[in-house]
Amino acid sequence: PPQGGRKHPEQQYIQMDTTQVLFICGGTFSNLEEIIKRRLGQKNIGFTTEETGDRESAVMRRELLEQVRPEDLIEYGMIPEFVGRLPVVSTLGPLDESSLVKVLTEPRNALCRQYAKLFEMADSGLEFTEPALHEIAKLAIKRDTGARALRGVVEHLMMDVMFKLPEPGMQGQYVITDAVVRGEEPAVPQKKPVRRKESA
């Protein structure tokens, strides 16, 4: 409806041609692998230690999800009419450490660039070392929420610095190292060299 909502069900609707429109539906689909496992007739066999168990279960879950079929989605709770309109079903694996580092640095609006811009607005500089980026990625992996965790980790890391940054004497070039990320040392500004005006 042009006005949106269902307040006036008698209103005219705008017709839309969806021929060239690509619809992408995504989600986490918790415990979908259990439905696939039942269909395949697999059972949990053997014992695993806690250290290897998490890694092996993640690999097993990924392999099971790769075998998903439309009937599994229907049993999961989706209506057949909806599933029938999704011709391609695919699975995505979790991001590894190097992928998360790329997310932090490579996009045009990457998180590191956003923070560097904020520091620039406060007449300061910000630089992340390569080991620091990998340390941030490791912390994000532990949170197990994909790339979303990166913002939370960086926000927590930069909170104190951003709070104090407007204060006089706090401006400078901040270099974030892996030790700063681990909380072993604070982020301290390196004072900018004073520019002397040259006489004409």
Side-chain angles (χ1 to χ4, degrees):
Q3 304 302 325
R6 300 184 181 181
K7 190 173 182 181
H8 305 288
E10 72 282 353
Q11 67 180 322
Q12 294 294 319
Y13 286 87
I14 297 173
Q15 297 297 320
M16 180 178 175
D17 181 12
T18 60
T19 305
Q20 302 297 328
V21 179
L22 173 65
F23 292 93
I24 301 176
C25 308
T28 54
F29 301 96
S30 300
N31 296 324
L32 177 61
E33 65 273 12
E34 297 299 326
I35 295 171
I36 301 170
K37 194 187 294 184
R38 278 202 307 272
R39 175 173 58 79
L40 297 174
Q42 293 184 6
K43 295 180 181 178
N44 291 329
I45 300 173
F47 301 92
T48 57
T49 64
E50 190 171 336
E51 293 178 0
T52 61
D54 290 342
R55 187 164 56 251
E56 289 178 3
S57 63
V59 172
M60 186 188 302
R61 183 174 189 270
R62 187 172 67 246
E63 290 175 352
L64 281 170
L65 288 174
E66 288 173 356
Q67 302 182 59
V68 66
R69 289 183 180 174
E71 54 263 35
D72 300 322
L73 297 174
I74 293 170
E75 188 177 342
Y76 187 77
M78 294 184 176
I79 58 173
E81 292 82 2
F82 179 67
V83 174
R85 284 168 172 77
L86 299 173
V88 178
V89 178
S90 183
T91 58
L92 299 174
L95 295 170
D96 60 7
E97 188 178 316
S98 61
S99 299
L100 288 173
V101 170
K102 288 180 180 179
V103 172
L104 274 172
T105 56
E106 290 187 5
R108 189 178 61 181
N109 60 342
L111 203 55
C112 290
R113 295 183 184 182
Q114 290 180 28
Y115 275 91
K117 191 69 177 176
L118 289 172
F119 273 66
E120 190 180 311
M121 291 167 64
D123 195 29
S124 296
L126 178 67
E127 179 188 343
F128 290 87
T129 65
E130 192 69 23
L133 294 171
H134 284 275
E135 198 67 32
I136 292 170
K138 288 174 185 174
L139 291 173
I141 289 171
K142 287 180 182 177
R143 295 194 180 192
D144 199 25
T145 53
R148 296 184 195 92
L150 291 172
R151 181 169 288 278
V153 172
V154 178
E155 188 79 28
H156 178 74
L157 174 65
M158 305 306 298
M159 189 180 299
D160 290 338
V161 178
M162 296 283 288
F163 183 76
K164 297 174 184 175
L165 192 58
E167 296 179 7
M170 294 302 296
Q171 284 84 3
Q173 178 72 17
Y174 286 83
V175 178
I176 306 300
T177 63
D178 52 336
V180 173
V181 177
R182 289 192 297 268
E184 296 172 359
E185 59 184 46
V188 180
Q190 299 172 5
K191 300 302 179 184
K192 291 182 176 180
V194 179
R195 293 181 181 177
R196 295 181 180 177
K197 293 182 180 180
E198 296 180 0
S199 56

